[in-house]
Amino acid sequence: MEKVVIVMPAWNEEDNISKMIEELVDGEFPKINAEMHLLVVDNHSKDRTEEIVKEASKTRNNVHIIQQGDKSGLGWAYISGFKYAMKELDADAVMEMDADFQHPPRFVKPMVEAYLQGADYVIGSRYIQGGSIPKEWALFRKAVSYFGNLFIRIVLVKPKIHDLTTGFRLTRVKGVLENMDLDNLMEPGRFAHKVDLLYQAIKNSKKTVEVPLEFASRTQEKSKFNTKEMIATFRVATILGIKDKARFIKFGTVGFAGYLVNAIALELFADTSITLGLANVFKGLKNTLLAFIAEPSAWAAAFAAELAIINNFIFNNIWTFKEKKITGFLAIIKKFLAFNLSTVGAIVIQFIVIGVMVVFLGDTRLIRQLGILLAMPLVLSYNYVMYNLFIWKTWSFSKFFKKQE
Ligand code: GDD
Ligand code: MN
């Protein structure tokens, strides 16, 4: 049976924790088709939180409590809790959940069910059909939550996910949590760490699903969320958003340099004896559908593309993919050949686009240059996918074709 550990930070929660154990552990766990555990992560509470949980764990072998260590803040509680759940409790999945009933225990079951059906990462979402935020929240608070989410969704480019700051989530250990860098979590002392956890989990998850959550309001209002927390959250999201796109930005810059090489080389090759000679070999095709093969400029375009490929290989290797830099003479030759093979597709795209345009619109400098511009987005997308998948192998196949619902 799958073992799911709910990691529940609790700080001075004596008013909630015993009722939580009753409702969650005694009430909900038996209804769930998994081995369920509750791990309370205390931060040296000044009240009876620890005592109550310790007492409850005497009669229940699926209730545990640890202290989060000497660093305070919610993120540290999760770091300690996740590590304990993986190492000591041998969890297959962990959940993030609050102790104050804002995440009503009845929502645990559908989250675990989504996991049992194959999800790697399950998000308890307030912003999908069936989910909600407290009606009694002031308009301002609702707006902050809503627009905050919208902002993070935009900077991280996660249009398919609706709730990026929820504190109610489930993460598979194998392939996801075990690959996350918990030791360098951003802003572990603040709520902002949630965004880093989400970012890393989504990166590693092959299947992410959102399950509705009716976020309840706290019985006694003592939330620690404030403007400082909000700014930190936006800051983490922005940094991650830029970091995420850094590779693509570098790739784009190298691609632009490649475009210049390509465009200049095209003109240099356009009327040379090589391209005229090659075109001449195929002059018999002049009035057929394959007429573009008899065009010197189509051949010039193919040569120009190869020069651009050499440019792109060198600069992507030493810059865009520098963490995966290919070194050693033989390895470089091998990869360069593979790189060429992969970009045969790009040459073919440019060959056809420019060839066809020249046939229909005439062989002028303007048409050739328009052709190269038109072919560029196609060539760039094709290349980016090929480089990441096959050359520098920063993406895995399963990740590339991951499902998201
Ligand atoms: N161990 C430990 N250490 N627990 C803590 C700490 C801490 O430093 N700070 C808070 N907690 C516990 C609380 O006892 C509670 O169980 C849970 O963490 C959430 O704390 P709240 O203070 O109730 O947070 P909130 O209601 O303002 O924030 C909720 O909404 C945020 C935004 O949607 C939480 O669900 C957050 O996780 C969420 O990001
Ligand atoms: Mn709360």
Side-chain angles (χ1 to χ4, degrees):
M1 209 183 322
E2 292 287 313
K3 189 169 184 177
V4 179
V5 176
I6 297 183
V7 177
M8 181 179 283
W11 185 59
N12 298 337
E13 294 285 2
E14 65 176 3
D15 299 332
N16 293 312
I17 202 72
S18 68
K19 186 164 164 254
M20 175 54 76
I21 292 171
E22 275 166 34
E23 280 195 23
L24 180 66
V25 178
D26 302 341
E28 291 297 321
F29 283 5
K31 299 183 202 160
I32 301 171
N33 193 18
E35 186 186 330
M36 299 295 300
H37 287 255
L38 173 66
L39 170 62
V40 174
V41 186
D42 186 15
N43 183 21
H44 313 278
S45 292
K46 298 280 180 305
D47 65 2
R48 292 177 57 249
T49 302
E50 183 178 15
E51 201 185 315
I52 295 168
V53 180
K54 278 197 168 147
E55 193 56 39
S57 70
K58 282 184 189 152
T59 51
R60 299 168 182 85
N61 56 15
N62 55 357
V63 174
H64 318 264
I65 180 164
I66 57 168
Q67 293 295 333
Q68 70 181 61
D70 25 288
K71 300 215 180 79
S72 85
L74 196 55
W76 290 109
Y78 278 116
I79 294 169
S80 318
F82 287 167
K83 285 186 173 177
Y84 189 87
M86 283 191 281
K87 287 188 198 123
E88 309 298 327
L89 302 177
D90 209 18
D92 296 306
V94 297
M95 281 185 73
E96 290 157 66
M97 185 175 176
D98 294 351
D100 60 359
F101 285 93
Q102 288 198 264
H103 302 146
R106 67 177 191 281
F107 289 102
V108 171
K109 188 169 188 253
M111 296 279 284
V112 177
E113 275 165 358
Y115 163 70
L116 294 175
Q117 281 158 24
D120 294 309
Y121 191 47
V122 188
I123 297 171
S125 179
R126 300 162 295 181
Y127 297 111
I128 56 170
Q129 186 80 46
S132 59
I133 51 174
K135 283 179 201 64
E136 52 276 35
W137 270 10
L139 190 66
F140 178 70
R141 191 155 174 205
K142 283 182 181 159
V144 165
S145 178
Y146 183 82
F147 287 107
N149 254 296
L150 193 65
F151 174 81
I152 299 170
R153 212 167 145 191
I154 292 169
V155 296
L156 290 182
V157 199
K158 295 281 174 266
K160 287 180 190 161
I161 294 169
H162 303 80
D163 196 341
L164 300 108
T165 54
T166 177
F168 192 49
R169 303 186 291 214
L170 181 148
T171 313
R172 184 187 294 274
V173 172
K174 194 156 178 275
V176 188
L177 189 65
E178 65 181 6
N179 293 337
M180 287 164 58
D181 185 6
L182 295 175
D183 291 319
N184 297 302
L185 194 68
M186 291 170 80
E187 294 283 4
R190 297 189 179 280
F191 285 87
H193 76 276
K194 288 260 172 238
V195 180
D196 193 14
L197 283 179
L198 173 108
Y199 173 82
Q200 293 195 48
I202 291 175
K203 270 234 145 358
N204 289 289
S205 156
K206 294 192 187 77
K207 188 177 176 190
T208 299
V209 294
E210 278 182 292
V211 168
L213 164 69
E214 287 173 30
F215 194 55
S217 62
R218 206 184 220 284
T219 1
Q220 310 113 299
E221 200 50 65
K222 69 159 194 184
S223 164
K224 291 191 292 188
F225 200 80
N226 54 34
T227 322
K228 247 186 169 167
E229 298 292 341
M230 192 172 79
I231 291 168
T233 303
F234 290 164
R235 204 176 62 83
V236 167
T238 309
I239 291 171
L240 289 173
I242 292 171
K243 202 174 105 187
D244 199 47
K245 268 130 237 113
R247 198 191 301 286
F248 191 76
I249 292 166
K250 289 179 184 174
F251 164 84
T253 310
V254 172
F256 182 68
Y259 158 73
L260 292 179
V261 170
N262 200 354
I264 294 166
L266 175 65
E267 289 312 309
L268 293 180
F269 280 119
D271 291 312
T272 59
S273 49
I274 313 168
T275 48
L276 288 171
L278 274 166
N280 202 37
V281 173
F282 297 97
K283 65 171 184 281
L285 296 171
K286 267 265 179 294
N287 290 315
T288 69
L289 261 180
L290 295 173
F292 63 88
I293 303 179
E295 290 294 338
S297 288
W299 288 96
F303 287 136
E306 181 57 34
L307 271 190
I309 286 168
I310 294 170
N311 167 85
N312 290 3
F313 180 75
I314 294 171
F315 290 103
N316 279 322
N317 193 41
I318 61 178
W319 192 42
T320 316
F321 295 92
K322 67 167 182 282
E323 317 90 89
K324 297 241 173 181
K325 187 153 100 195
I326 304 152
T327 51
F329 184 70
L330 276 182
I332 289 182
I333 296 297
K334 231 177 94 185
K335 279 286 180 171
F336 180 65
L337 291 177
F339 184 85
N340 265 277
L341 195 67
S342 87
T343 44
V344 161
I347 300 178
V348 170
I349 292 170
Q350 182 161 311
F351 189 72
I352 293 174
V353 170
I354 294 185
V356 167
M357 283 183 68
V358 163
V359 166
F360 285 102
L361 303 167
D363 192 355
T364 65
R365 176 166 292 168
L366 179 73
I367 295 304
R368 288 193 296 262
Q369 293 302 320
L370 272 177
I372 235 173
L373 278 177
L374 210 82
M376 193 166 54
L378 295 172
V379 168
L380 286 184
S381 342
Y382 170 83
N383 281 346
Y384 195 62
V385 171
M386 289 293 153
Y387 299 176
N388 277 291
L389 270 184
F390 299 110
I391 307 298
W392 286 279
K393 297 197 162 129
T394 39
W395 297 347
S396 67
F397 258 101
S398 49
K399 182 83 191 133
F400 185 65
F401 295 106
K402 78 174 178 180
K403 278 188 223 137
Q404 219 155 64
E405 284 159 27

